Amino acid sequence: MILKFLRLLKILRVAVQYGLDEIAFSGLRVPRTAKLIDTFFFWRDISAPRGLRLRLALEELGPIFVKFGQVLSTRRDLIPLDIVEELALLQDRVPPFDSDLAIAQIQRSLGDHPDRLFASFERTPVASASIAQVHFATLKDGKDVAVKVLRPGMKKLIDEDVALMHIAAEWIGRLWADSKRLKPKEVVGEFDKYLHDELDLMREAANASQLRRNFAGGNLLLVPEMYWDYCSSSVIVMERMHGIPVSQTERLIEAGVDLKKLSSDGVEIFFTQVFRDGFFHADMHPGNILVSIDPASFGRYIALDFGIVGTLNDFDKDYLSQNFLAFFRRDYKRVAEAHIESGWAPKETRVDELESAVRACCEPIFDRPLKDISFGQILLRLFQTSRRFNVEVQPQLVLLQKTLLNIEGLGRQLDPDLDLWKTAKPYLENWMAEQVGWQGMLERLKAEAPRYTHVLPQLPRLMHRALAVAGEPDNTNNELLRVLIAEQQRTNRLISFVVYFAGAFAVGALGLQAILRWKGML
């Protein structure tokens, strides 16, 4: 209890020192309170921009608060842009913990000392962050690996700091006039879940395995292999990857890497993850990306750190593709209709009002060349406009927008002339064609086939039972009979359609073959 009280005192001291009260209380329902507090703390200097003061305060409060700032920096739909831009500069500058603690953690998790588990183990860590640190090692079969070890005592520390955040969020929700829009309790709850997910390294290993499987056999992205015999919730062992950090462009040029191709490959990787797989690496900042210079995989991206991934279902992908295509065709009415059809905008929303708001936000963007248009900014403007119409922005889309901004920044750092629309348009159009065209219909028929093969053999027995019951004086199953008959009729129509379609296709193929043979005889 004493330690919690001292921690609370430190948080209050830092908040006062950096004028965080001035940031928070500027939105109080009683604005005079802010002036009174500012008068009381007349001795401090809070002339620096509010975003800078907030960032410095979070850095002084330690790694958990730095993580919180990093999460806030992804919520561009909620947080003012000047604060978001500053929070995006936050990095985990955390000194490594003692190697003896890391060795003890490995021994507890894997059941043996690293010197016996591995052919060699480097005691000095090569990377350290707030949640874990990484050591290099060599397996007994000679494979080079990276060993990620969870920082000891993290759960207790996280629980204590997040509990204080929940209390603060409760007070902000009561006092701040803008709290309904900013949703402080929901944001802290999301952060709480995010941190506790990161504490389970097996989750990260599973994410990496899924991403590696998605890109297996391709020539775009390399993902380290996980060695499951050496993985637990607090220690994971993965293939060691060798490459140049993507931010070190001079080294890449010296190595002969084509930066323009690298830039377009990055965009292709992102849209492949989103529209093909619906599963994307959501922390693709330059610190987590290398470029291979190995002759066998030269110029390919290497992804690291899989603690944060995003998932999209077909509904999300349809929403995104329709909105992107409508935006670039300047079909703002379709954007408005898509929001209402999706159920994210209230049904009573007037299409013309939402269309007008979207047009006002997005027309200025299109005064610039297509290559200068930011997908991430379009999503941001869309979310900001949607908020005015009580649209609940889905968390997975916020994560997507943050990742898209990372990809755009990276792509244009490598190639300032990158035309993101030209690179992305084929993916959007192909995905839409697959969803609404013949290919999409056939894919859905194939997906439903197992269900019908299970239902069809049961229909005669079920109908016989229903008819037998229907003949009894006390008939309470007429509704069941109607449902069964309707199901049989629907199934018959589907079978007829498939038969006719297959027959027409076969006749057409035979006719075409006959014509070709006839022409050949001539």
Side-chain angles (χ1 to χ4, degrees):
M1 180 60 71
I2 295 176
L3 292 177
K4 287 184 180 179
F5 180 70
L6 292 176
R7 179 64 170 161
L8 181 59
L9 286 180
K10 180 179 179 180
I11 293 172
L12 292 174
R13 178 190 64 77
V14 171
V16 170
Q17 177 183 343
Y18 290 99
L20 302 190
D21 55 282
E22 185 266 342
I23 299 173
F25 295 161
S26 61
L28 278 177
R29 293 185 172 88
V30 186
R32 292 181 181 177
T33 306
K35 293 182 179 179
L36 180 63
I37 293 173
D38 195 39
T39 303
F40 185 76
F41 296 117
F42 65 91
W43 46 267
R44 62 186 178 176
D45 179 12
I46 54 173
S47 57
R50 61 179 183 175
L52 174 61
R53 287 186 278 123
L54 178 58
R55 176 171 67 82
L56 293 175
L58 293 175
E59 286 178 343
E60 185 168 333
L61 287 173
I64 305 304
F65 283 83
V66 168
K67 280 280 185 186
F68 185 57
Q70 290 173 333
V71 170
L72 287 180
S73 73
T74 69
R75 299 309 304 264
R76 291 171 178 260
D77 59 316
L78 300 178
I79 309 299
L81 286 181
D82 62 316
I83 294 179
V84 166
E85 298 287 340
E86 195 67 44
L87 293 181
L89 301 176
L90 284 169
Q91 296 184 13
D92 288 337
R93 299 186 182 92
V94 181
F97 55 89
D98 193 288
S99 296
D100 289 336
L101 294 175
I103 289 172
Q105 183 80 285
I106 293 171
Q107 191 161 0
R108 278 195 303 271
S109 300
L110 304 184
D112 208 345
H113 195 280
D115 290 343
R116 290 186 287 274
L117 288 169
F118 306 105
S120 65
F121 178 82
E122 297 183 14
R123 295 179 63 90
T124 304
V126 294
S128 177
S130 57
I131 298 295
Q133 70 183 30
V134 178
H135 296 256
F136 285 154
T138 304
L139 295 180
K140 291 182 178 180
D141 61 4
K143 294 177 181 176
D144 291 332
V145 296
V147 183
K148 190 169 186 176
V149 186
L150 193 69
R151 189 174 286 268
M154 282 306 299
K155 187 177 187 308
K156 183 174 182 294
L157 179 61
I158 286 173
D159 288 343
E160 291 174 354
D161 276 357
V162 171
L164 294 175
M165 290 180 185
H166 277 293
I167 295 171
E170 182 72 29
W171 279 101
I172 290 172
R174 293 180 180 181
L175 297 174
W176 206 0
D178 209 22
S179 63
K180 185 176 181 181
R181 179 178 69 83
L182 297 180
K183 302 178 182 177
K185 290 190 287 186
E186 288 82 353
V187 170
V188 172
E190 181 182 323
F191 174 63
D192 191 356
K193 178 182 179 300
Y194 158 75
L195 269 186
H196 281 87
D197 283 350
E198 273 207 307
L199 288 177
D200 184 1
L201 296 186
M202 282 293 283
R203 184 186 295 267
E204 177 178 344
N207 292 338
S209 182
Q210 176 70 54
L211 195 63
R212 178 182 171 86
R213 185 162 57 252
N214 289 347
F215 282 87
N219 58 358
L220 287 173
L221 184 67
L222 295 173
V223 178
E225 179 184 358
M226 293 289 156
Y227 296 102
W228 293 107
D229 291 341
Y230 300 90
C231 291
S232 71
S233 60
S234 55
V235 176
I236 56 175
V237 177
M238 68 193 82
E239 177 185 3
R240 181 177 172 181
M241 308 303 286
H242 301 272
I244 299 174
V246 72
S247 57
Q248 297 181 11
T249 53
E250 292 183 2
R251 287 185 60 193
L252 292 173
I253 293 171
E254 289 175 4
V257 176
D258 183 346
L259 296 191
K260 286 185 177 292
K261 183 179 185 303
L262 196 64
S263 175
S264 62
D265 283 353
V267 177
E268 184 176 348
I269 288 169
F270 174 77
F271 281 96
T272 299
Q273 290 180 82
V274 170
F275 289 102
R276 187 193 70 184
D277 304 326
F279 183 90
F280 61 96
H281 190 308
D283 201 16
M284 293 188 74
H285 61 76
N288 286 338
I289 302 174
L290 305 177
V291 179
S292 174
I293 54 173
D294 185 277
S297 55
F298 186 81
R300 289 168 66 179
Y301 280 94
I302 300 171
L304 304 172
D305 196 348
F306 310 93
I308 309 173
V309 298
T311 57
L312 300 172
N313 56 31
D314 287 342
F315 183 87
D316 296 328
K317 291 188 283 187
D318 182 63
Y319 164 85
L320 287 169
S321 57
Q322 288 199 46
N323 274 283
F324 274 141
L325 289 172
F327 265 119
F328 282 99
R329 292 168 180 165
R330 303 199 188 191
D331 186 356
Y332 303 120
K333 182 177 181 182
R334 182 60 201 141
V335 174
E337 289 172 344
H339 273 67
I340 297 170
E341 289 170 4
S342 70
W344 291 348
K347 290 183 178 179
E348 62 272 13
T349 302
R350 288 185 52 174
V351 173
D352 59 333
E353 289 182 357
L354 183 54
E355 176 190 357
S356 177
V358 173
R359 180 183 296 109
C361 278
C362 297
E363 270 300 307
I365 293 176
F366 291 101
D367 289 336
R368 291 175 283 175
L370 278 176
K371 71 180 182 64
D372 295 333
I373 294 175
S374 164
F375 269 66
Q377 290 299 329
I378 285 177
L379 270 183
L380 175 60
R381 286 176 178 268
L382 176 62
F383 295 163
Q384 290 172 333
T385 301
S386 300
R387 189 171 62 230
R388 291 171 45 198
F389 290 85
N390 298 317
V391 176
E392 291 289 336
V393 179
Q394 306 301 303
Q396 68 273 22
L397 296 184
V398 174
L399 201 58
L400 177 83
Q401 185 254 346
K402 169 252 187 186
T403 307
L404 186 50
L405 283 172
N406 284 341
I407 293 295
E408 282 186 325
L410 173 63
R412 286 182 173 142
Q413 176 186 338
L414 296 170
D415 177 15
D417 296 324
L418 173 69
D419 189 336
L420 199 70
W421 171 235
K422 182 179 179 181
T423 307
K425 185 179 178 182
Y427 292 95
L428 298 173
E429 292 181 333
N430 288 342
W431 193 85
M432 287 294 291
E434 289 173 1
Q435 293 303 300
V436 301
W438 286 101
Q439 183 180 348
M441 186 195 72
L442 291 174
E443 289 297 325
R444 285 190 289 275
L445 281 174
K446 284 195 291 186
E448 290 288 335
R451 175 174 175 266
Y452 285 113
T453 58
H454 176 72
V455 171
L456 286 172
Q458 300 181 54
L459 280 178
R461 175 175 54 83
L462 294 173
M463 288 193 63
H464 175 75
R465 182 188 299 172
L467 289 170
V469 173
E472 297 177 1
D474 183 20
N475 179 23
T476 60
N477 292 286
N478 287 332
E479 184 63 27
L480 175 62
L481 177 60
R482 283 194 294 271
V483 171
L484 289 169
I485 292 173
E487 178 69 21
Q488 184 187 34
Q489 291 173 342
R490 189 163 72 91
T491 303
N492 289 341
R493 286 196 298 270
L494 178 63
I495 294 173
S496 299
F497 173 78
V498 173
V499 170
Y500 290 147
F501 179 82
F505 182 84
V507 170
L510 290 171
L512 179 61
Q513 189 175 10
I515 291 171
L516 292 175
R517 287 183 177 179
W518 179 72
K519 286 185 176 181
M521 292 173 64
L522 294 178

